[in-house]
Amino acid sequence: MNTPDSAKSPARAGAARKASDKSARTRAREFALQALYQHLVGRNEAADIDAFTRDLAGFHKADSVHFDALVHGCIEQAGALDALITPRLDRPLPEISPIEHGVLWIGAYEFQNCPDVPWRVVLNECIELAKAFGGTDGHKFVNGVLHPLAAQLRPVEMAAQPAPRAR
């Protein structure tokens, strides 16, 4: 089944997806992360960030509706998203890198506001964002925070899709 979040599989397991293989929603998340970084680091206004980001090369290939929802939703709900994230952190929120902070916002926002995106897709996309843009082990940190958050925010969906069995 083709969903807005599906993309062609890489030729070999663990290979990074080529830019041409990325879905419009994956691109929207990447641009949203860049926009949220500008907000977290530069305290730039959402409208200014939005205008700047739309002029970046490749934005036309992104799902602009999903981008809008992520950027404006995360900035508007920043306090509530931080309240969801903070209890799962192993350090104070100000010590989290702005990249991981933005990725966690995206994950928490999508868990709460995008029921059309399966929880596993949200988790995987956020892990991939952290791998691509974050620190060396940032993806492990993101997984450690978002996986239990998925259990809290999407318990019925998670129960219906048990974890794959180990081989």
Side-chain angles (χ1 to χ4, degrees):
M1 172 169 95
N2 255 347
T3 65
D5 288 294
S6 66
K8 296 176 186 172
S9 298
R12 58 187 163 75
R17 287 188 283 190
K18 290 187 272 182
S20 61
D21 290 343
K22 293 180 181 176
S23 73
R25 283 224 174 147
T26 294
R27 292 173 193 271
R29 289 181 187 95
E30 290 176 349
F31 283 111
L33 180 58
Q34 293 175 52
L36 293 172
Y37 181 88
Q38 289 181 48
H39 176 73
L40 286 163
V41 173
R43 292 290 168 210
N44 298 333
E45 294 295 322
D48 296 335
I49 296 167
D50 189 289
F52 173 81
T53 305
R54 287 176 186 282
D55 285 339
L56 293 174
F59 185 83
H60 68 283
K61 294 180 181 178
D63 179 339
S64 61
V65 173
H66 200 63
F67 168 82
D68 286 339
L70 292 175
V71 172
H72 295 284
C74 287
I75 291 172
E76 290 166 9
Q77 297 176 25
L81 296 173
D82 284 344
L84 285 169
I85 295 164
T86 300
R88 289 162 181 78
L89 300 179
D90 61 358
R91 62 199 107 153
L93 187 61
E95 293 180 16
I96 302 301
S97 85
I99 293 294
E100 278 84 20
H101 195 169
V103 171
L104 293 173
W105 273 0
I106 289 170
Y109 179 86
E110 284 195 278
F111 284 149
Q112 283 193 306
N113 300 285
C114 303
D116 62 312
V117 183
W119 74 270
R120 287 183 199 261
V121 172
V122 173
L123 185 62
N124 184 60
E125 290 281 330
C126 289
I127 290 169
E128 292 301 318
L129 282 172
K131 284 180 180 178
F133 298 101
T136 304
D137 286 334
H139 66 285
K140 294 176 185 175
F141 174 73
V142 165
N143 184 43
V145 173
L146 290 181
H147 196 271
L149 190 59
Q152 175 190 339
L153 298 174
R154 302 237 187 132
V156 173
E157 183 183 354
M158 284 187 79
Q161 299 176 345
R165 299 177 103 157
R167 294 181 188 192

